Amino acid sequence: MPADPLYRAGEPQRSTTSQPPGGSRASAIEVRRSARRRRTVSAYREGDRTVVLIPARMSEAEEQRWVTVMLDKLAAQESRKMLGDAELAERAERLSAQYFAGRARPASVRWVTNQNTRWGSCTPAEGSIRLSHRLQGMPEYVVDYVLCHELAHLLVPGHGPDFWRLLESYPRTERARGYLEGVVAAARLPHVPGARGERDA
């Protein structure tokens, strides 16, 4: 992700540096707080460090959450692998075998470009799963979460307790949902599709 063109070296800021979680390829993370930055968060690589630019008013908890989101985003961009529909279908089959004992058997799995407020959708009667093209390039565990979400709908159509119990078999559900919530907040979309009590993933 390129340097933020709105960032100026002379603007008021506070900068902190720390080691990245989980052995990221960058050796250090520098968080720069800016009083002029109101809502946006951005990040870029600068030599062997990652620079994350955030608003000065952010809490420490928000800072940590955004650092994780932006590290994931950069990692996804650097190891971008665009899966075709065939690879996506193979991945769904593998996930079904791993987390649903092979019981979720989609007839088709494909990318679509007409889902701008949903990450994925499923039509159980047809056995079809569609993933938004906006997921392309996101971390693998996020794509896997959305695939698992839709695979679970082949077994349990609604978002009731049985559905969420089934989805708990995927161990990175909460982390993936946190990542998607960060993407939604950054893009200011109306909501996170697939939240409890909502109808679509």
Side-chain angles (χ1 to χ4, degrees):
M1 190 172 293
D4 184 343
L6 298 178
Y7 172 72
R8 299 287 181 271
E11 68 179 88
Q13 64 184 21
R14 178 167 66 82
S15 178
T16 57
T17 303
S18 61
Q19 293 302 311
S24 168
R25 76 190 262 291
S27 63
I29 301 163
E30 181 179 344
V31 177
R32 295 178 185 168
R33 290 175 172 264
S34 167
R36 296 175 69 181
R37 183 175 286 268
R38 296 286 180 239
R39 293 180 181 154
T40 59
V41 176
S42 61
Y44 60 93
R45 303 289 192 200
E46 190 176 79
D48 65 348
R49 72 178 57 233
T50 301
V51 178
V52 181
L53 308 172
I54 65 173
R57 61 176 176 75
M58 269 194 183
S59 68
E60 293 296 321
E62 287 175 315
E63 174 184 317
Q64 288 305 311
R65 183 173 69 85
W66 275 107
V67 165
T68 299
V69 167
M70 298 313 286
L71 285 175
D72 281 343
K73 216 169 187 178
L74 284 172
Q77 289 176 346
E78 290 163 352
S79 62
R80 190 177 295 254
K81 277 194 311 187
M82 293 300 184
L83 298 174
D85 289 349
E87 291 87 359
L88 200 61
E90 289 173 12
R91 195 160 176 170
E93 185 178 341
R94 176 178 55 79
L95 291 167
S96 176
Q98 189 171 357
Y99 299 111
F100 306 115
R103 294 183 299 125
R105 298 189 182 105
S108 67
V109 184
R110 61 192 174 92
W111 296 108
V112 294
T113 58
N114 62 350
Q115 291 190 157
N116 294 318
T117 60
R118 294 188 291 182
W119 296 114
S121 61
C122 173
T123 306
E126 299 173 1
S128 61
I129 290 175
R130 297 162 299 280
L131 263 58
S132 171
H133 71 287
R134 294 179 301 131
L135 289 163
Q136 291 177 330
M138 288 190 188
E140 287 187 3
Y141 74 89
V142 176
V143 177
D144 284 353
Y145 162 71
V146 178
L147 274 174
C148 283
H149 187 114
E150 303 310 334
L151 287 166
H153 276 312
L154 293 177
L155 304 174
V156 181
H159 282 106
D162 289 346
F163 172 84
W164 292 106
R165 272 195 295 273
L166 188 62
L167 193 56
E168 282 172 4
S169 62
Y170 180 64
R172 304 184 85 176
T173 289
E174 289 307 315
R175 184 177 179 195
R177 285 188 56 76
Y179 182 93
L180 292 174
E181 285 170 359
V183 171
V184 168
R188 294 195 256 301
L189 293 177
H191 65 288
V192 177
R196 290 179 188 262
E198 295 176 6
R199 296 186 62 83
D200 294 304

